[in-house]
Amino acid sequence: MIDCLFAYGTLRAPELLQSVIGRRIEGNPAVLEGYICRQVRHADYPAITQRTGSSTQGSVYWGIDAPAWRRLDAFESNLYERSVVEISHADAASAMAYTYVIADAYKNRLTDEVWVLEHFRLSHLNRYLSQFPS
């Protein structure tokens, strides 16, 4: 089983990832080639979809176990499908990782807007964190 998560959106906020999986975990910068990241319509989070010539910046997190995957799957909902992708990161040329790709049924919800992590942090992160018990 792959124990690596490529996060490109809200889960790049370490405090949110910790709240979702129940433990602190460190991430490293990574890139996913062949995918574009865009804002989801009427939402404060992004999604990715395949697009030749595009790339998505994100973070890679190692050591994700089965209980953490279950919690991540529940957090991401049916809007996304967990998919295996090949990422590039500083520690190696490439690695296989799971990431959450928008499901085909919801691709029409993607906008042309670029999603910005810092805007999410300032405007929405506290609301997300309040959903999890301390």
Side-chain angles (χ1 to χ4, degrees):
M1 177 182 215
I2 296 172
D3 73 341
C4 181
L5 168 67
F6 175 76
Y8 56 86
T10 62
L11 293 174
R12 286 179 61 200
E15 57 272 50
L16 182 56
L17 181 60
Q18 178 179 342
S19 294
V20 171
I21 67 171
R23 63 185 167 90
R24 183 157 176 74
I25 190 167
E26 296 297 323
N28 294 309
V31 177
L32 175 59
E33 297 292 339
Y35 285 79
I36 191 167
C37 180
R38 291 294 182 254
Q39 179 80 30
V40 173
R41 184 175 289 111
H42 306 299
D44 32 68
Y45 47 82
I48 59 172
T49 192
Q50 286 186 313
R51 182 173 294 170
T52 303
S54 296
S55 64
T56 296
Q57 301 292 317
S59 298
V60 59
Y61 298 94
W62 302 95
I64 307 294
D65 57 14
W69 285 121
R70 285 191 294 276
R71 294 176 86 173
L72 287 162
D73 290 346
F75 176 77
E76 294 293 358
S77 78
N78 66 345
L79 180 70
Y80 300 92
E81 296 173 344
R82 184 169 17 131
S83 300
V84 176
V85 294
E86 185 174 353
I87 59 166
S88 301
H89 60 95
D91 295 339
S94 66
M96 301 310 288
Y98 280 120
T99 196
Y100 291 90
V101 177
I102 195 162
D104 286 343
Y106 300 106
K107 282 185 180 179
N108 63 341
R109 293 187 58 193
L110 283 180
T111 69
D112 290 332
E113 290 179 61
V114 174
W115 184 85
V116 180
L117 177 60
E118 286 311 309
H119 174 72
F120 171 79
R121 279 187 165 290
L122 294 171
S123 302
H124 306 290
L125 180 59
N126 286 337
R127 181 172 44 84
Y128 275 68
L129 291 173
S130 71
Q131 298 174 23
F132 296 92
S134 309

